[in-house]
Every structure is written in structure tokens, then in C-alpha cells.
Amino acid sequence: MLVLLPPSEGKAASGRGAPLKPESLSLPGLAGARAAVLEELVELCAADEDKAREVLGLSEGLRGEVAKNTELRTAGTRPAGEVYTGVLYDALGLATLDTAAKRRAARSLLVFSGLWGAVRVTDRIPSYRCSMGVKLPGLGALAGHWRAPMAEVLPEAAGSGLVLDLRSAAYAAAWKPKGEVAGRTASVRVLHAPTRKVVSHFNKATKGRIVRGLLAAGSVPGSPAELVEALRELGYTVEAEAPGRVGTAWSLDVLVDEVH
């Protein structure tokens, strides 16, 4: 099973570990695209703070994020699973999983990123600020920049099992499973049952709890249909829509009564 996650906008401070070693990151086929984004981002932030804030969509109060980006090559690193914080990652609680569940997380979780493309939770990275919605002056829209290299690398990373897609729309734009991979991909929405509306905060929290539940239970569904059963065994109410044609992902709605 491969689980596709969005990153968090908020991130923990860079760690005390060794600086970034790009060659050590998972998915080495993304190395060239990563280097291009890293180079332009560092140069942009070092050359013109105001322009960098505008490009990155940062308020005056987040000016320090620009300075942080200038030090990406020398800042300390920590595992990506510790760098990403926020609602989904708080609910996922990687640090409090047992040893076996942590091993499953290392194998199955893939976090998408405007800067790195995608990383495993064990990959050591510095804290940074660069969302997938950014349009860099030289490279253009990052979702478009990542599309071709992702199309080369991600099908192999997906292996032959289930792909559980929990990404937000901006990150889903960087790679859309196609063909045979799409047929075993399940895209999940979390809806407030009484209103059938997505509520951002609890949508993220529920997705984090879903992943935690699957990891803790040692559940490895091999197909979208098996995922539906696994989620129901965990106590979730799930409505599933099988694809109407070959090469299309499944759509799953998880209905939750309480918003928390």
C-alpha cells in the first residue's frame, strides 16, 4: 500500500542533524527536478526578500520564512515525519506509533511537496516554505514542473498494491495516477454526515486518524474494495463509488457525525 499525503503549511524548525544530502532522499529519479527548485528558491529568497514574499504568498508576519529558505543547503535536518506538523500530522501521531507501525509508515507513506516533489517520512530534510501552488519566475508553476518527473517515478513507487490518495487538489495536480495504477487508486473525501460538506480542519484530522488506524492495525488492503472493508472494520461509515471506466480511480466518502 502506498499512501499519498499532502504536506503541512506549518513545519517544525530545522533540526540539529547534518545538512541536507540530496542524494540520500528517496525517489532518486526526482533528483534533477529537486535541484532545479532548490536552486531557484534559494536564489530568489537571497536576492529580493519582498519579491520572494510575493512569489511565495507570504504575509509580512511570515517574513522570517524567506530567510529560512536562504539557508536550505546548510540548515540542520530531521526526518520529514517530524518536520511536517499541523492537523493531519497531529492526528496521525507518527512518534507515538509502536515499532511495527512505524516500519509500516516508513514503507508506505509518501508526502508530496512543492520543493522536494515527494519524500518518505524517514527522509531527512530542513524546514522550508514553498507550496505546490507557487509559481517560480524561472520554472513556472510547480505542479507543472513536477508532472513529467512524477509520471516517470511514481508508477514504480506505487508497486502493485493499493494507492490511497489523501492529497489536497494542489498536490494532486502534480501527479494523477493513470491506467492500471488508477484502477487500484482510491481517492478519499471526509464529509460531515449531517451536512455532507467538507470541513477543512476535521477533514484533515480524520484523514490522519484513518492512516494511523490502518498502520496500527497492520492492515494492508490490496485494492480499493479491500480498503472499504478495512475502514468499516475500523468503525468508519464509507460510501464507495467504483470507477465507471478503466483507468479511473475509485472515489470513497468517509462520513463522520462529529466535527472535532
Side-chain angles (χ1 to χ4, degrees), residues 161-173:
L162 170 73
V163 177
L164 172 53
D165 191 353
L166 301 177
R167 298 172 296 168
S168 55
Y171 291 89

Side-chain angles (χ1 to χ4, degrees), residues 58-188:
L58 300 176
S59 66
E60 175 68 29
L62 293 174
R63 185 176 289 271
E65 298 292 282
V66 176
K68 181 167 68 176
N69 280 349
T70 67
E71 300 173 351
L72 288 172
R73 293 192 179 96
T74 58
T77 58
R78 63 173 71 199
E82 297 177 12
V83 170
Y84 296 115
T85 59
V87 176
L88 188 154
Y89 291 90
D90 285 347
L92 172 53
L94 284 171
T96 61
L97 290 170
D98 64 33
T99 301
K102 286 178 180 177
R103 285 198 295 265
R104 289 189 282 272
R107 292 193 301 267
S108 62
L109 305 188
L110 199 62
V111 184
F112 275 61
S113 162
L115 174 53
W116 314 114
V119 291
R120 303 281 185 185
V121 292
T122 51
D123 286 335
R124 299 191 67 92
I125 59 173
S127 184
Y128 67 95
R129 192 64 171 251
C130 184
S131 71
M132 190 66 80
V134 164
K135 184 176 182 180
L136 291 175
L139 294 177
L142 288 180
H145 170 75
W146 286 112
R147 209 162 285 138
M150 289 283 194
E152 291 289 327
V153 171
L154 267 293
E156 181 178 354
S160 58
L162 170 73
V163 177
L164 172 53
D165 191 353
L166 301 177
R167 298 172 296 168
S168 55
Y171 291 89
W175 181 59
K176 182 179 180 181
K178 295 181 178 180
E180 183 270 336
V181 178
R184 48 187 167 85
T185 297
S187 179
V188 173

Side-chain angles (χ1 to χ4, degrees), residues 190-192 195 197-204 259:
V190 179
L191 302 180
H192 183 214
T195 64
K197 292 182 179 179
V198 174
V199 182
S200 179
H201 178 95
F202 110 102
N203 169 57
K204 294 175 183 177
V259 178

Side-chain angles (χ1 to χ4, degrees), residues 22-45:
E23 69 279 4
S24 72
L25 298 180
S26 302
L27 308 178
L30 300 179
R34 286 171 177 150
V37 179
L38 180 63
E39 180 177 3
E40 182 168 356
L41 181 63
V42 171
E43 290 183 359
L44 170 69
C45 291

